[in-house]
Amino acid sequence: MGEDSGHQRRLASFQQQINTLLEAHVDRQIAQGAGEVAVESKRVLMAGGKRLRPVLMMMAYEACGGTNQEDIIPLALAFELIHTATLVHDDIYDDAVQRRGVKTIHASKGLAKGVIAGDWLFVQGFGLGGKYEAEIVELVSEYCSQIAQSEFLQLDRVMDLKTSPEDYLSIVIGKTAGPFAAGCKAAAILANCSIEQQRSMQDFGRELGIAFQLVDDLLDIRGDERMGKPRGADIYEGKMTLPLIHSLTLSHGQRRERLAYLIENFADNYFDELIELLNASDSLNYTEILINNHIERARESLLTLPQNDATQLMLWLTEFMQHREV
Amino acid sequence: MGEDSGHQRRLASFQQQINTLLEAHVDRQIAQGAGEVAVESKRVLMAGGKRLRPVLMMMAYEACGGTNQEDIIPLALAFELIHTATLVHDDIYDDAVQRRGVKTIHASKGLAKGVIAGDWLFVQGFGLGGKYEAEIVELVSEYCSQIAQSEFLQLDRVMDLKTSPEDYLSIVIGKTAGPFAAGCKAAAILANCSIEQQRSMQDFGRELGIAFQLVDDLLDIRGDERMGKPRGADIYEGKMTLPLIHSLTLSHGQRRERLAYLIENFADNYFDELIELLNASDSLNYTEILINNHIERARESLLTLPQNDATQLMLWLTEFMQHREV
């Protein structure tokens, strides 16, 4: 119990540190005359967010025995800036009006400014990330390319009821788990870990990232509005989440027809019926089992690392992320 | 005459080299499974373009005494990839259907894929540029931030008939001249030039970049369709080009009212009348004089450099760009 609140405090302190540094970075740009593009970007950047990528990187760096946080911080900020850039651009073509409880940039300032502000955030991230050695730059540009690639695949699967679990996994690995894996691996490299430990950290990030996305999928069906987006948002957008894919794969006859109809014509008053059908195929339960498995694998990959406070914190974080409700 | 065709041949050979390397870069990504995002990006990237930024950088590197083209080539490619990324994104909010004679990505594959393909091109550029030393990375991220900043300013000036020549210049410096200046400066740094020569190269790029934009402005009014965009495109988009700004500043009373009306309600059959009004305020002539001045300044900044074949080629290029018709 006491340990738990100690971990909570450390997580909060990492998040606080990232928030302070992100704000300072953008404020410096504004002081240098960056103007409205920076002001708008800051509005979305600082409106919240769990800062998972940078926090994980800082923890991984410590767990790997790194002692100079200055080595990892610019890269951790870069990952968060790039992540926010992708959100700003995602929101444009999802036509989302709100993000983290504030108005999206394209909704408040128009399409052009939304596109450009996303570009600006990318540039800020690459500016920070580009100062590292070639191996790190390669990692960053590789995972960013993979995000774009996977987003193309995902777009092709929108409202595609034949999307397979393999399609799903390949999209999730590129779009969500890839950045987690690259961040953890980069942290291990910067902490001068062995190749084996670098690989363990990369595995950890990938497995945790997959679990993270699966939890997101469940929250979209079960969650409340604390995430800053309404329940069922994925279904309305035609995003094929794992519970839907699993249920569509297992259901037959009339039941599958009805499920397809509900997905294609989704409305709030179909929620209970949808959940009933998902439960009939045990799909929510199946998703939970998958989450368990990936969390378990993430935890196992930590075994090759020195067992220190930071490793303990990372173990705790896997549980925290597994049971998060927002 | 003989010299001129020699210069022409060298220019064409630089362009050819860039084209070959750009294509090879993207083909490598495709071979590694980058998929449709790379295929679509390649379609626009390879559809043409004068490759001015990379060509200038290669010339500047040689003029500064650089002897190993391998040093400058990845950066030159990065500049062209980033330039194309901005075009792909510009075309989205300008809702342009064609670019370099082929269909734009958003027009053929939808908004989402247009946004993401632009991001992918950015990432390719940053991946190549990020492998250089911190000073170069700083230059790249700085000029890219400035592009975004200037695009915000430009958007605020769309159809704003009170746009001043100073507003115009600040937008052009950030958006067009900045990348030219950064590219030439980076080339000088990589060739181990003195600080003074680095500054001369930067000045050269900036002055040539401004002249380049002014020529573009004139071509929009006088040009034909060989540029791949119809004459008057800027006016239809509400872009305040220098001839318009100059004429609006000098015209009074009924003449200014009529000019404002023509700009705000532009149609092809107003073209002759518009040109008449621009000539009444001598605005096309004024723009030509400005072009001369900036070209002259660009040429002067070459004087501090070693006078070699590459410097001669750059001098020739200033004239070539001044008198270009496409």
Side-chain angles (χ1 to χ4, degrees):
Chain A
M1 234 8 216
E3 205 170 52
D4 195 62
S5 73
H7 290 321
Q8 284 270 17
R9 267 201 306 276
R10 284 225 69 195
L11 173 60
S13 131
F14 277 125
Q15 288 169 324
Q16 184 51 51
Q17 200 181 345
I18 291 295
N19 283 335
T20 306
L21 293 166
L22 281 175
E23 188 162 22
H25 175 85
V26 180
D27 282 344
R28 218 157 33 239
Q29 309 304 313
I30 293 174
Q32 285 165 20
E36 191 189 17
V37 66
V39 171
E40 278 300 300
S41 298
K42 179 183 169 181
R43 199 172 53 74
V44 170
L45 183 68
M46 300 313 296
K50 297 178 282 291
R51 316 303 188 200
L52 278 180
R53 291 154 190 80
V55 162
L56 261 178
M57 291 164 73
M58 290 170 80
M59 288 182 184
Y61 177 78
E62 247 186 72
C64 288
T67 51
N68 182 10
Q69 286 279 4
E70 305 289 307
D71 283 350
I72 187 79
I73 279 175
L75 192 64
L77 298 180
F79 271 65
E80 187 67 14
L81 287 160
I82 290 169
H83 172 56
T84 308
T86 66
L87 297 180
V88 167
H89 280 174
D90 280 359
D91 285 343
I92 290 173
Y93 48 84
D94 292 343
D95 205 10
V97 176
Q98 284 221 334
R99 163 72 66 181
R100 299 170 174 170
V102 301
K103 216 164 176 191
T104 52
I105 299 175
H106 74 278
S108 93
K109 301 285 174 175
L111 173 66
K113 289 188 173 178
V115 172
I116 300 163
D119 291 347
W120 187 85
L121 283 161
F122 262 120
V123 172
Q124 299 309 307
F126 280 111
L128 289 171
K131 287 174 191 152
Y132 285 84
E133 60 248 44
E135 186 181 9
I136 303 284
V137 171
E138 183 80 33
L139 254 181
V140 173
S141 92
E142 181 58 28
Y143 91 75
C144 288
S145 301
Q146 292 279 353
I147 294 177
Q149 245 172 271
S150 301
E151 280 175 333
F152 259 61
L153 292 180
Q154 187 169 41
L155 287 165
D156 289 337
R157 297 299 177 194
V158 164
M159 212 51 107
D160 176 357
L161 303 191
K162 289 197 287 290
T163 307
S164 72
E166 291 72 28
D167 298 331
Y168 172 87
L169 199 66
S170 117
I171 292 166
V172 168
I173 287 180
K175 200 178 157 175
T176 313
F180 279 70
C184 290
K185 184 181 181 188
I189 294 172
L190 292 173
N192 289 313
C193 265
S194 68
I195 298 283
E196 195 208 346
Q197 291 179 339
Q198 289 173 26
R199 197 167 305 131
S200 296
M201 268 303 173
Q202 186 176 18
D203 290 346
F204 173 83
R206 192 189 57 245
E207 296 300 330
L208 188 65
I210 297 171
F212 174 79
Q213 184 58 56
L214 290 167
V215 171
D216 236 33
D217 286 6
L218 277 186
L219 285 171
D220 190 64
I221 290 161
R222 288 180 176 160
D224 56 25
E225 304 206 356
R226 277 178 291 172
M227 286 182 80
K229 62 174 191 174
R231 186 171 76 138
D234 290 340
I235 313 174
Y236 280 112
E237 282 173 21
K239 271 190 196 149
M240 288 294 118
T241 62
L242 192 80
L244 304 185
I245 293 168
H246 181 262
S247 193
L248 284 162
T249 310
L250 284 190
S251 307
H252 296 285
Q254 267 198 327
R255 190 173 276 170
R256 189 185 184 286
E257 267 171 45
R258 183 64 186 164
L259 183 59
Y261 178 86
L262 292 183
I263 294 171
E264 285 172 339
N265 305 279
F266 194 66
D268 272 9
N269 59 330
Y270 287 154
F271 237 120
D272 292 341
E273 193 185 347
L274 177 71
I275 290 180
E276 220 169 275
L277 286 172
L278 294 177
N279 280 328
S281 55
D282 215 24
S283 301
L284 299 179
N285 193 34
Y286 174 76
T287 307
E288 274 180 0
I289 294 170
L290 273 191
I291 293 171
N292 274 330
N293 291 350
H294 288 288
I295 290 286
E296 207 41 59
R297 284 208 235 165
R299 297 169 68 87
E300 274 166 25
S301 53
L302 289 181
L303 292 177
T304 62
L305 290 162
Q307 300 303 302
N308 54 28
D309 283 359
T311 337
Q312 290 308 309
L313 186 58
M314 290 175 84
L315 280 173
W316 170 82
L317 191 73
T318 60
E319 278 188 46
F320 179 81
M321 282 174 65
Q322 179 170 10
H323 302 299
R324 73 190 167 97
E325 285 170 0
V326 287
Chain B
M1 234 8 218
E3 205 168 55
D4 195 63
S5 74
H7 290 321
Q8 284 269 18
R9 267 201 305 275
R10 284 225 68 195
L11 172 62
S13 134
F14 276 125
Q15 287 169 326
Q16 184 51 51
Q17 200 182 346
I18 291 294
N19 283 335
T20 306
L21 293 167
L22 281 174
E23 188 161 22
H25 175 85
V26 180
D27 282 344
R28 215 155 37 236
Q29 308 305 311
I30 294 173
Q32 286 165 19
E36 192 190 17
V37 66
V39 172
E40 278 300 299
S41 297
K42 179 181 169 181
R43 196 173 54 74
V44 170
L45 183 68
M46 301 312 297
K50 296 178 283 289
R51 314 303 187 201
L52 277 181
R53 290 155 192 79
V55 162
L56 260 178
M57 291 165 73
M58 291 171 80
M59 288 181 185
Y61 177 79
E62 247 187 72
C64 289
T67 50
N68 182 9
Q69 286 278 4
E70 305 289 307
D71 283 349
I72 187 79
I73 279 176
L75 192 64
L77 298 180
F79 271 64
E80 187 67 13
L81 287 161
I82 291 170
H83 172 57
T84 308
T86 67
L87 296 181
V88 167
H89 280 175
D90 280 359
D91 285 343
I92 290 173
Y93 48 85
D94 292 343
D95 205 9
V97 176
Q98 284 221 334
R99 163 72 65 182
R100 298 170 174 171
V102 302
K103 216 165 175 190
T104 53
I105 299 175
H106 75 278
S108 93
K109 301 285 174 174
L111 172 65
K113 289 188 172 177
V115 173
I116 300 163
D119 291 347
W120 188 84
L121 283 161
F122 263 120
V123 171
Q124 300 309 307
F126 280 112
L128 290 171
K131 287 177 191 149
Y132 285 84
E133 60 248 44
E135 186 181 9
I136 303 285
V137 171
E138 183 81 33
L139 253 181
V140 172
S141 91
E142 181 57 29
Y143 92 74
C144 288
S145 301
Q146 293 279 354
I147 293 176
Q149 247 172 269
S150 302
E151 279 174 334
F152 260 61
L153 292 181
Q154 186 169 43
L155 287 164
D156 290 337
R157 297 299 178 194
V158 164
M159 211 51 106
D160 175 358
L161 303 192
K162 289 197 287 290
T163 307
S164 72
E166 291 73 28
D167 297 332
Y168 172 87
L169 199 67
S170 118
I171 292 166
V172 168
I173 286 180
K175 202 178 156 175
T176 313
F180 279 73
C184 289
K185 184 181 180 186
I189 294 172
L190 292 173
N192 288 314
C193 266
S194 68
I195 299 281
E196 195 209 344
Q197 289 178 339
Q198 289 173 26
R199 197 165 306 131
S200 296
M201 268 303 174
Q202 187 176 17
D203 291 345
F204 173 82
R206 192 188 57 245
E207 297 300 329
L208 188 65
I210 297 171
F212 174 79
Q213 184 59 57
L214 290 167
V215 171
D216 236 32
D217 286 7
L218 277 186
L219 285 172
D220 190 64
I221 289 162
R222 287 181 177 160
D224 57 26
E225 304 205 358
R226 277 178 290 171
M227 285 182 81
K229 62 175 190 174
R231 187 170 77 138
D234 290 338
I235 313 175
Y236 279 111
E237 282 174 21
K239 271 191 195 145
M240 289 292 119
T241 60
L242 192 80
L244 303 186
I245 292 170
H246 180 263
S247 193
L248 283 162
T249 309
L250 284 191
S251 306
H252 296 285
Q254 267 200 327
R255 191 174 273 170
R256 190 186 184 285
E257 267 172 47
R258 184 63 187 165
L259 182 59
Y261 178 86
L262 293 183
I263 295 171
E264 284 172 341
N265 305 279
F266 194 68
D268 272 10
N269 58 330
Y270 287 154
F271 236 121
D272 292 341
E273 194 186 347
L274 176 72
I275 290 180
E276 219 169 276
L277 286 172
L278 293 177
N279 280 329
S281 55
D282 214 23
S283 301
L284 299 179
N285 193 34
Y286 174 77
T287 307
E288 274 181 358
I289 294 170
L290 273 190
I291 293 170
N292 274 329
N293 291 349
H294 287 290
I295 290 286
E296 205 41 58
R297 285 208 235 164
R299 297 169 69 88
E300 274 166 24
S301 53
L302 288 181
L303 293 178
T304 62
L305 290 162
Q307 300 302 304
N308 53 29
D309 282 359
T311 337
Q312 290 308 310
L313 185 58
M314 290 176 85
L315 280 174
W316 170 82
L317 191 72
T318 61
E319 277 187 51
F320 179 80
M321 282 173 65
Q322 179 170 9
H323 302 297
R324 75 193 166 95
E325 283 170 4
V326 289

